[in-house]
Amino acid sequence: SQQGEEDPQALSIQEGENATMNCSYKTSINNLQWYRQNSGRGLVHLILIRSNEREKHSGRLRVTLDTSKKSSSLLITASRAADTASYFCATDGPDSWGKLQFGAGTQVVVTP
Amino acid sequence: EAQVTQNPRYLITVTGKKLTVTCSQNMNHEYMSWYRQDPGLGLRQIYYSMNVEVTDKGDVPEGYKVSRKEKRNFPLILESPSPNQTSLYFCASTLSGSLNSPLHFGNGTRLTVT
């Protein structure tokens, strides 16, 4: 069963614009991670945020976590064509030891 | 170079013919996992391993077997493949089963069962 669900399913923006995608999950978590996947390749880790953290930054990426709403958002600022990819959130929790569960992903297309 | 290596990258086989997809990591990671990816369903966990000789079922284990005899290797075995196992498979590893560090993914194995 999927723990996380990303929204929207697909997003199309122009270079320079910001892209925001959301992840909602159902049960309590220990950590939430965001990954990027380029066209059928292996996933690449972007950011890990722990349940006691509210916000993290990494370069042009900003992740927020609201455990009261069981949701997280990933913001990509000043997007580039190279940001075109699918983005997935993944969660692990105290009720699912050893399991890291992924959502279905958001497909982002950045046009020049 | 730190990496997770899966082989083969592409595999076409027929129903019922046993196959093994290999996975190896060179980072001394304790935790390893197999996922399958199907359109619209994201990644679903098949099996995972917390350490040598410790394996457990994920969300979709039916039709698959794994073993963890050495720390670096975690092969995925399909004893009698069926067409519904046609999918893109990923192996991943991380430091420990506490999952508070990033997963490293292999490049995937695209399996077609006819």
Side-chain angles (χ1 to χ4, degrees):
Chain A
S1 61
Q2 287 175 321
Q3 161 76 313
E5 290 189 10
E6 290 89 344
D7 171 61
Q9 287 186 327
L11 184 57
S12 184
I13 56 174
Q14 291 196 310
E15 267 191 328
E17 293 180 336
N18 295 343
T20 300
M21 59 210 86
N22 303 297
C23 170
S24 58
Y25 54 91
K26 297 174 185 142
T27 59
S28 62
I29 61 170
N30 293 328
N31 308 285
L32 186 144
Q33 304 185 43
W34 284 92
Y35 287 82
R36 184 188 74 227
Q37 183 183 35
N38 290 93
S39 189
R41 303 296 299 272
L43 279 71
V44 174
H45 180 261
L46 297 176
I47 289 184
L48 182 151
I49 187 164
R50 304 186 200 288
S51 60
N52 61 354
E53 297 175 312
R54 291 296 165 257
E55 188 170 313
K56 280 189 99 165
H57 297 254
S58 175
R60 293 183 296 111
L61 306 179
R62 173 179 169 247
V63 167
T64 62
L65 178 65
D66 186 336
T67 53
S68 67
K69 294 181 180 176
K70 291 189 170 61
S71 69
S72 172
S73 67
L74 170 66
L75 167 68
I76 306 172
T77 59
S79 61
R80 305 166 181 168
D83 295 326
T84 294
S86 292
Y87 293 81
F88 296 88
C89 67
T91 58
D92 70 281
D95 298 329
S96 55
W97 182 249
K99 291 187 177 183
L100 186 66
Q101 295 180 303
F102 286 79
T106 293
Q107 267 191 310
V108 175
V109 174
V110 182
T111 53
Chain B
E1 181 190 350
Q3 58 186 3
V4 177
T5 304
Q6 287 179 235
N7 280 298
R9 287 294 310 277
Y10 301 92
L11 181 55
I12 300 173
T13 190
V14 296
T15 299
K17 187 175 181 182
K18 181 179 177 180
L19 66 92
T20 300
V21 184
T22 63
C23 174
S24 180
Q25 50 91 7
N26 61 0
M27 296 167 280
N28 202 35
H29 285 169
E30 290 185 349
Y31 181 94
M32 298 186 75
S33 182
W34 276 102
Y35 292 88
R36 61 177 288 174
Q37 184 176 27
D38 302 288
L41 296 178
L43 277 79
R44 293 180 293 168
Q45 193 169 34
I46 303 171
Y47 269 94
Y48 61 96
S49 170
M50 294 289 219
N51 213 325
V52 176
E53 302 291 3
V54 181
T55 63
D56 216 334
K57 295 178 181 178
D59 293 320
V60 288
E62 296 78 21
Y64 304 95
K65 281 176 58 176
V66 292
S67 67
R68 188 91 183 271
K69 293 186 171 60
E70 310 160 282
K71 202 170 190 179
R72 63 185 295 125
N73 296 322
F74 190 44
L76 179 69
I77 303 154
L78 284 72
E79 295 262 356
S80 183
S82 62
N84 65 13
Q85 291 178 299
T86 291
S87 188
L88 179 57
Y89 290 87
F90 289 102
C91 179
S93 72
T94 190
L95 276 169
S96 78
S98 59
L99 298 175
N100 56 7
S101 57
L103 251 67
H104 297 254
F105 280 81
N107 280 328
T109 295
R110 191 169 290 279
L111 172 66
T112 302
V113 184
T114 60

